[in-house]
Amino acid sequence: MEVLIFQKEAFEEMVAKFSRFSDRVNELLAKQGSKSLNHWMDNQEVCQQLNISPRTLQTLRDNGTLAYSQINHKVFYRPEDVLRIVKPVENKPKSAMA
C-alpha cells in the first residue's frame, strides 16, 4: 500500500474541481431529459426486437447497417436506430443474413 500526502490547498482545489465536474455532468443529464441511458438497448433486447440471432446482429454492426456505442465490452443501441432498420431486416431473406 502506498500513502500519499497532499497539501491542504491542493486537496481542496482537487475537491472543488471534482465538484464542478459533477455539477456539469448533472447539468448535461438534466438537459438530456428523455434521452437518458436507460432508454438504450442491449444485444439481447435488439435480438428479441428484430427476431434475429446474435451472429446476425454482429453482421449488422460489422457492415454498418446498425449504429451502436460500446462501453468497455458492452454494446448499446439507440431504439430509433433499431426501429430504422426493422423494415430492411424483415425484407431480407434469412440466407442473405447468415
Side-chain angles (χ1 to χ4, degrees):
M1 176 196 256
E2 190 174 341
V3 176
L4 298 174
I5 299 175
F6 282 90
Q7 289 183 343
K8 182 179 179 183
E9 294 83 18
F11 177 75
E12 288 173 349
E13 183 180 339
M14 185 174 63
V15 169
K17 284 182 179 182
F18 183 77
S19 179
R20 286 192 301 271
F21 174 76
S22 176
D23 291 344
R24 182 65 180 136
V25 168
N26 287 332
E27 287 173 19
L28 291 171
L29 288 173
K31 285 181 183 178
Q32 290 293 318
S34 65
K35 297 179 183 177
S36 65
L37 285 177
N38 60 1
H39 288 86
W40 286 60
M41 300 171 72
D42 64 11
N43 286 331
Q44 182 178 357
E45 292 171 318
V46 174
C47 286
Q48 289 173 345
Q49 176 83 27
L50 299 178
N51 196 27
I52 58 174
S53 71
R55 181 64 191 112
T56 301
L57 181 56
Q58 175 70 48
T59 301
L60 293 173
R61 284 197 313 264
D62 290 346
N63 66 21
T65 302
L66 180 58
Y68 66 96
S69 294
Q70 187 169 355
I71 301 173
N72 290 329
H73 298 289
K74 183 99 170 145
V75 180
F76 297 96
Y77 310 86
R78 294 185 318 179
E80 54 269 24
D81 291 334
V82 174
L83 291 175
R84 180 179 50 79
I85 69 159
V86 168
K87 289 297 179 196
V89 169
E90 286 177 347
N91 294 335
K92 274 191 179 178
K94 289 287 185 187
S95 60
M97 292 192 308

